[in-house]
Amino acid sequence: MEEKITIVGAGSWGSGLARIVSDNGYRVMMYDIDPMIVNEINTNHTNKSKLPTGCLNENVSATTDMAKAIEFGDIIVLVVPTAVIRRALRSINQVITAKKLFVNASKGIEPDTYKRVSEIVSEEISSEYIEGFVALSGPSHAEEVIKQMLTLVTAASPNLEHAQKVQRIFSNQSYFRVYTVCDLIGVELCSSLKNIIAIAAGIIAGLGYGDNTRAALIARGLVEIARIAKALGAEEKTIYGLAGLGDLVVTCTSLHSRNYQAGYKIGSGKDLEQALAEMTMVVEGARSAIAAHQIIKKHNIYAPIIEAVYDIIYHKQNPQDRISEMMQYDLKEE
Ligand SMILES: NC(=O)c1ccc[n+]([C@@H]2O[C@H](COP(=O)([O-])OP(=O)(O)OC[C@H]3O[C@@H](n4cnc5c(N)ncnc54)[C@H](O)[C@@H]3O)[C@@H](O)[C@H]2O)c1
């Protein structure tokens, strides 16, 4: 296995991805700002604060030295929360000395700029060091991947060869299978917007609604994702694929979803700050809701569920009042 893999962000998903590529025989180095995590990975091959069950392979090492980490990998996998992605990329740009293929596995859109991670990479990394960019996304909770449970995702890049390279490196014949698509915009948008719908799914569960409501939310949420993604250039087939419908279903139905958990706390009466304070892991949907709200206004898109999530978390609107209000809307065709 000639390529070496650097994973920036040794959290839950960074550890899941490290497990996959090291199972596939590649040498892996993880980078994190948290020395406790780095030390635990190097000494015990575990990451208990992020993934209480499962372990990493012994050939996975970790470091807090960005220069060492970036020098090591031919492929740089980004898996930090999107709130810190610019900061991480600036640190990378200070130490990078050779062309690398960037793979992003984080899921979010930047508030105010509405930038996707591929766009942020182009802005923060000198072009001479970017071999290409691939987004790796789909229904993939780290808690299941670390236990080698069967998972399918998609690798997206306008350059099919780059997507195929990532497909080859991450796929195996036992539990992890990667498809390719060229619709990078669609994959980046779907994987970010679905987290907002997951917060809504948590809210309705916290309020005590059942399976009928959740199924309706997934169906109507997908329509809103499609409206926004298509307005920004996504292809229809991406919306119904692994990074669209696939990821939406898993995040709206699984207790592993942080966005669902945060929504559940809000539906149970907590505000966003209280809900986030109780979470040890990242809730990307709250941040993406700001970007989605701005995109919706700019492009005049009808997306009542996403707007409701935005108003509930940022204007502290009562979730039950908002649902009652939505039930009064004019009846219409589906
Ligand atoms: N957890 C999952 O199952 C999963 C699956 C698919 C995608 N994702 C996405 O992956 C991204 C990361 O999620 P996660 O669940 O792994 O989060 P996490 O909170 O478990 O881990 C984030 C890690 O990033 C590190 N970090 C923070 N700032 C950093 C910086 N400036 N440089 C380097 N490292 C830094 C933290 O110390 C932490 O270890 C999110 O965008 C999430 O949506 C997560």
Side-chain angles (χ1 to χ4, degrees):
M1 306 294 174
E2 73 236 34
E3 293 96 346
K4 288 186 281 173
I5 318 292
T6 291
I7 297 184
V8 178
S12 310
W13 191 218
S15 301
L17 291 168
R19 176 75 208 225
I20 298 161
V21 279
S22 61
D23 278 349
N24 294 354
Y26 293 91
R27 281 189 287 155
V28 182
M29 185 178 288
M30 304 179 84
Y31 167 85
D32 204 283
I33 44 163
D34 185 339
M36 305 250 285
I37 289 182
V38 166
N39 188 41
E40 187 188 338
I41 292 171
N42 286 333
T43 50
N44 301 337
H45 312 295
T46 56
N47 190 355
K48 295 260 183 234
S49 65
K50 297 294 185 184
L51 275 178
T53 56
C55 61
L56 291 159
N57 291 321
E58 293 196 6
N59 59 356
V60 174
S61 62
T63 180
T64 53
D65 181 341
M66 184 67 100
K68 185 175 161 196
I70 298 305
E71 224 237 296
F72 176 87
D74 308 291
I75 294 178
I76 309 296
V77 183
L78 305 168
V79 213
V80 292
T82 51
V84 298
I85 212 143
R86 266 191 200 275
R87 201 183 318 154
L89 287 165
R90 281 176 192 162
S91 312
I92 293 173
N93 200 47
Q94 282 170 3
V95 297
I96 194 165
T97 55
K99 243 183 192 359
K100 313 274 176 177
L101 180 62
F102 284 82
V103 176
N104 175 54
S106 301
K107 298 176 176 173
I109 321 169
E110 192 169 58
D112 302 323
T113 68
Y114 335 138
K115 296 260 160 81
R116 294 169 282 108
V117 174
S118 58
E119 297 173 296
I120 301 174
V121 168
S122 312
E123 286 178 0
E124 299 296 345
I125 303 290
S126 312
S127 55
E128 64 194 294
Y129 299 130
I130 305 176
E131 183 190 326
F133 182 92
V134 179
L136 189 65
S137 192
S140 50
H141 285 309
E143 291 82 353
E144 296 187 3
V145 167
I146 200 85
K147 292 189 213 155
Q148 300 177 309
M149 294 172 89
L150 204 147
T151 301
L152 275 58
V153 301
T154 206
S157 175
N159 181 322
L160 183 60
E161 280 178 22
H162 290 153
Q164 285 170 335
K165 188 173 192 178
V166 170
Q167 176 183 48
R168 171 177 57 77
I169 289 170
F170 282 80
S171 290
N172 56 51
Q173 292 182 340
S174 57
Y175 69 93
F176 202 78
R177 186 171 167 83
V178 183
Y179 290 75
T180 59
V181 293
C182 290
D183 180 15
L184 177 62
I185 294 176
V187 166
E188 289 190 289
L189 288 175
C190 287
S191 61
S192 306
L193 295 169
K194 59 93 194 177
N195 283 331
I196 310 168
I197 307 298
I199 293 177
I203 291 174
I204 57 162
L207 286 168
Y209 290 97
D211 295 343
N212 293 352
T213 321
R214 178 165 45 200
L217 178 82
I218 292 172
R220 298 308 303 165
L222 188 66
V223 171
E224 294 189 15
I225 290 173
R227 283 186 191 132
I228 298 171
K230 282 202 236 165
L232 299 185
E235 289 171 25
E236 177 114 358
K237 73 170 186 191
T238 308
I239 292 152
Y240 302 103
L242 290 163
L245 178 61
D247 212 355
L248 178 66
V249 168
V250 82
T251 200
C252 288
T253 59
S254 167
L255 295 177
H256 294 311
S257 164
R258 286 84 170 137
N259 294 282
Y260 178 93
Q261 287 172 23
Y264 190 91
K265 290 175 200 290
I266 293 167
S268 311
K270 299 190 167 143
D271 64 21
L272 180 69
E273 285 74 36
Q274 283 175 300
L276 294 184
E278 290 175 17
M279 313 277 302
T280 54
M281 286 161 210
V282 63
V283 178
E284 291 280 17
R287 207 163 165 271
S288 291
I290 302 173
H293 170 72
Q294 293 162 335
I295 295 168
I296 286 164
K297 289 271 171 276
K298 184 173 174 205
H299 293 267
N300 199 19
I301 297 166
Y302 184 59
I305 299 168
I306 292 175
E307 286 293 64
V309 171
Y310 177 80
D311 287 338
I312 289 165
I313 58 183
Y314 294 112
H315 295 146
K316 300 200 188 311
Q317 189 172 27
N318 179 284
Q320 186 54 67
D321 289 351
R322 184 60 174 246
I323 291 170
S324 304
E325 197 183 292
M326 290 167 86
M327 288 301 287
Q328 308 301 315
Y329 289 176
D330 288 344
L331 298 173
K332 55 184 149 219
E333 269 183 38
E334 190 173 4

